[in-house]
Structures are given as structure tokens and as C-alpha cells.
Amino acid sequence: MSPTHRRGSERHASDRRGSSFSRRDSIDPRKLVPMDKMTHISGHDDFNVVFIGAGNIMFGSEEGPWNHSFRFEHKLGRRLKVVALIDPAIERAKEVLRKKCDSFVLSAYEHTRIYKNFEEFHKNLPKSLRPRAFVVGSPPMFRGTLQSGRDIETQILKHYPGVALFIEKPIATGPIEEIEQGYKISKQIEETKTICSVGYMLRYLKAVQMMKHIIEENNLTVMTTIARYACAYEAIAKPDWWDKSKSAGPVIEQGTHFCDLSRYFGGEVDYDSVVAHSLEWDENAGQLSAMKVDESKIPPENRIPRVTSATWKYDSGAVGTFTHVVALQGTNYSCELEVYADGYCLRLVDPYVQPVLYVRKPGDDHEQTYRFPDDDPFFSEVSNLIDIIEDIEEDPDAACILSSYEDAVKTYELTWAIRKASEKSRAAKLSRKAA
């Protein structure tokens, strides 16, 4: 049976949502403290960290709020010591370090060593600088497998057993046949009891945790999840994003967050039930007028769809739907997730910028509105990871990893199932036209 022709529950009987270190799959939203209200974690010893990747996800950009280094700096304060930065683009790495050393976080970076690859790092880093965490923000096409040069996770597990991992999503963007390798990596992480968190930060939103709390408090069973992700394509000027042979396509590379949230509420997916349709670049309705990329330089077979719409069954019997749209111009995206249960509608709007949660309950046809200004799920996921690494016990119910590596592989498998199903329906349509 191929990876996309089995149910999620057939993977592992344990069906753990968090890591081995997670006691549950949700957090009391009141425990998610904003970054500006958080005091630096106590202690006087250095907290050594290795950053893998010197790009935007690690050091920020104008394209979005991602910036892992910023969150580690605010969580750890002067304890943070970035002992190494690994990136083959040495000049870029030097430039980001120069900027850091010219700022108030000089103490975290003044002795950072730059290495072009993991092998060079492992060979030359002094044993006295053994890290407590690796933050993996390298492009997904270079990780998530057991193949040499794309096996950073297993190299870390081999040479630095017991050191915690934070890995950016998606866990990979290779061919569908490599998904099984992701599950093997997950098994290694579980068997070695390695603390590991994957960057599905939307799970850490206060609004999302409030949704979980309502479902758990009222003993609800989810009936359906309805997700929509409409990106502002005009601002996407990276050619690789428009080439699915490099990015794996917008559902896998971008829509993965909302597929993950769908799974977070709906549970395990019956991958064999996934059906999808797409609007392609060569169809009349798929013409775009504000692209910053010359699409003619991309082979036709690698050009991305403008719309992908999918439905599937969860193992529980519930139904999931997801639509990804490449249509908006400007800079702001439009994203929503609806979760329905008997008597309830939970509607999450604009989770990336200013999350708003609309709740309809039994006995009242009007929605209640909850706003969460200045919520930072990027900080919450980093904060929870560090608390677990530090084994803080003052509040054992606060720290919880919400996305394990295994869980991330399941989301990756769902996004691939959607892509394959849409390609199957397109091929069937072209075949009918040719007949």
C-alpha cells in the first residue's frame, strides 16, 4: 500500500499528538504569556544554541513575522549563546551576524562560529561548546530524509544524542516516495527520547487554544473542518515558489499550516478518501495580471495551480475541506478556519496578523467575538520548547509541545495526498478532452 493509501491511524497505535515530553495536546490559553510580559528565564549558565540556516525564517524579513533568533533572544536574554551558524552562504551568514553584533544582543553572537555545512561544524566545534538545542531553518528540500546531504535530523541524533531539536515546517519538500523516510526519522526521535518541536506555530495561538478548550470543556465531537487560505501572490517574488519541482507546490509549502490546523481539530485522516480539483495556469480563469515572476521561464509541467480545493474523511467520520487560492494582490492574505460540532461553530479569522475568534453556541444565534491583540505564537512555541528543555516544574501544566515530528509528517502526507488527488482529477479531465 502506498503512503497516501492508508489511514492516519494505521501509522502508529499510540497516536501521540505531542512529543514523548508532552502530557496533552492543548494548553490553557491563559498560560500563553506575551513576549513583552515574559521575564527572561532564570539561571546564570549559558544556553548554547546552534542555528542551521541564515535565511529569513531564522533572522527575519519584511515579508512576514517569522524570526526565530528574535524569539530565542527574548526568552533567554543574556543566557543565550549562539555557538554556531551553519549555512553554505558564508557571506550572508557573516552579514546577519554583523547586524546582530551591532545591536543590544551582542553577547549572544560575539563568539558565534560560521560553518558551511554540518560535517565541518561537527569536526571543528570545541566539545566545551556542546549545544542544548539545534534550530533547523534550512530549506525543506535539504532535510527530512535519510539520504546523505538531506539527513540533518539523523546526523544530529547520531552525533549529539539528547540535544533538543526545533525544526521548521514543512519537514520536507521531496517526492512523495520519500514520506516513509520521514516516519523512520520520527521513530528515531521517539526511540531516543529526543525533545523535538516542529514549527506549526498556529497551534500555539491563544485563539486556537481557546477553540480546543471549548471543545474539551463541552465534550464536543468535531463534525467538520472548513479551511481556506488565499495568498497575496503579488508580493511573492521568489521564482522557486512558483515552480512546484522546487517548492512542491503551494499546498505543501504554504497551505501546510491550515492542513495542520485541520488535523489538529479533526484528528487522523483517511488519506485514501482525499479528493481534490485544481484551477491551473493554462485555464482561462487561472490567468494572473500582477505576477512579479516571469512564469515563461518555468517549464509548463512545473507551474503551480491557482486554486486547489480538497475534501476528505477523518477516521472519526467527520469531513474536512481545504481550499488554497492564489488570487489576491497587495500584501495581506485572507485565511479562515471553521470548526463545527453539535450546536457550535468556531470560526478563526486572520490568524497570521490579528486573530479573531467568532463563537456561536447553543441557545444564541449570534456570534460572540474574541480578539487577541499582540499574540505571538512564534514566541509561544519557542518559550514552551525551552521550558521543557530546562525541565521547569513550577507549573507542570504550562509547557507542552503541540507538534511532534511524527505529527508533522502526517500533515506533510496529507498535503501530498491533496496534490496527488488534484493532479489525478486534472489528468482525468485532459484524458476526457482528448477522447
Side-chain angles (χ1 to χ4, degrees), residues 27-38 65-66 70-71 201-211 348-357 370-381 383-384 402:
I27 301 173
D28 184 337
R30 294 170 298 180
K31 303 292 186 182
L32 297 173
V33 181
M35 187 165 63
D36 62 343
K37 302 289 193 301
M38 174 77 70
W66 41 82
F70 180 70
R71 275 75 179 192
M201 80 287 176
L202 294 183
R203 293 190 178 204
Y204 294 85
L205 280 170
K206 288 183 179 180
V208 167
Q209 290 308 309
M210 185 174 180
M211 294 166 73
L348 175 64
V349 177
D350 199 15
Y352 288 98
V353 183
Q354 289 293 337
V356 181
L357 177 61
Y370 301 88
R371 300 183 186 279
F372 305 85
D374 303 319
D375 188 19
D376 185 352
F378 292 96
F379 179 74
S380 294
E381 67 178 349
S383 179
N384 276 268
L402 298 180

Side-chain angles (χ1 to χ4, degrees), residues 64-248:
W66 41 82
N67 187 332
H68 292 318
S69 63
F70 180 70
R71 275 75 179 192
F72 273 84
E73 292 156 12
H74 280 261
K75 175 66 175 181
L76 290 164
R78 293 186 63 83
R79 290 185 60 199
L80 174 64
K81 296 293 181 283
V82 180
V83 297
L85 174 58
I86 305 173
D87 195 300
I90 299 296
E91 292 305 314
R92 179 175 60 186
K94 288 180 178 179
E95 178 61 18
V96 295
L97 285 184
R98 184 191 63 77
K99 291 179 180 178
K100 289 291 186 181
C101 289
D102 283 344
S103 72
F104 69 96
V105 292
L106 168 66
S107 64
Y109 298 94
E110 59 184 334
H111 301 300
T112 302
R113 301 162 184 244
I114 297 175
Y115 301 99
K116 63 182 179 181
N117 55 46
F118 185 84
E119 183 181 12
E120 182 182 80
F121 155 79
H122 175 61
K123 184 177 180 180
N124 293 285
L125 187 77
K127 288 185 170 53
S128 60
L129 297 179
R130 180 179 173 84
R132 298 192 64 188
F134 284 90
V135 182
V136 182
S138 52
M141 66 279 292
F142 298 119
R143 47 185 167 84
T145 78
L146 301 176
Q147 300 171 38
S148 178
R150 299 171 58 210
D151 60 346
I152 188 65
E153 302 91 342
T154 56
Q155 290 300 311
I156 293 172
L157 292 171
K158 175 182 177 181
H159 296 292
Y160 296 89
V163 177
L165 298 173
F166 179 86
I167 300 173
E168 192 43 57
K169 65 79 207 167
I171 53 101
T173 52
I176 190 172
E177 295 79 15
E178 294 178 349
I179 290 176
E180 284 297 337
Q181 297 179 41
Y183 282 105
K184 290 177 180 178
I185 295 170
S186 168
K187 186 176 181 181
Q188 291 180 28
I189 290 171
E190 288 288 340
E191 289 177 344
T192 56
K193 299 190 183 329
T194 300
I195 298 172
C196 180
S197 176
V198 178
Y200 283 106
M201 80 287 176
L202 294 183
R203 293 190 178 204
Y204 294 85
L205 280 170
K206 288 183 179 180
V208 167
Q209 290 308 309
M210 185 174 180
M211 294 166 73
K212 272 284 188 181
H213 180 71
I214 292 170
I215 291 170
E216 293 168 0
E217 185 178 51
N218 294 281
N219 196 28
L220 302 177
T221 299
V222 171
M223 300 172 66
T224 187
T225 63
I226 303 172
R228 174 179 54 76
Y229 190 116
C231 72
Y233 75 88
E234 185 180 17
I236 303 174
K238 189 164 66 172
D240 284 1
W241 189 86
W242 295 88
D243 185 336
K244 63 184 179 182
S245 71
K246 297 178 180 178
S247 68

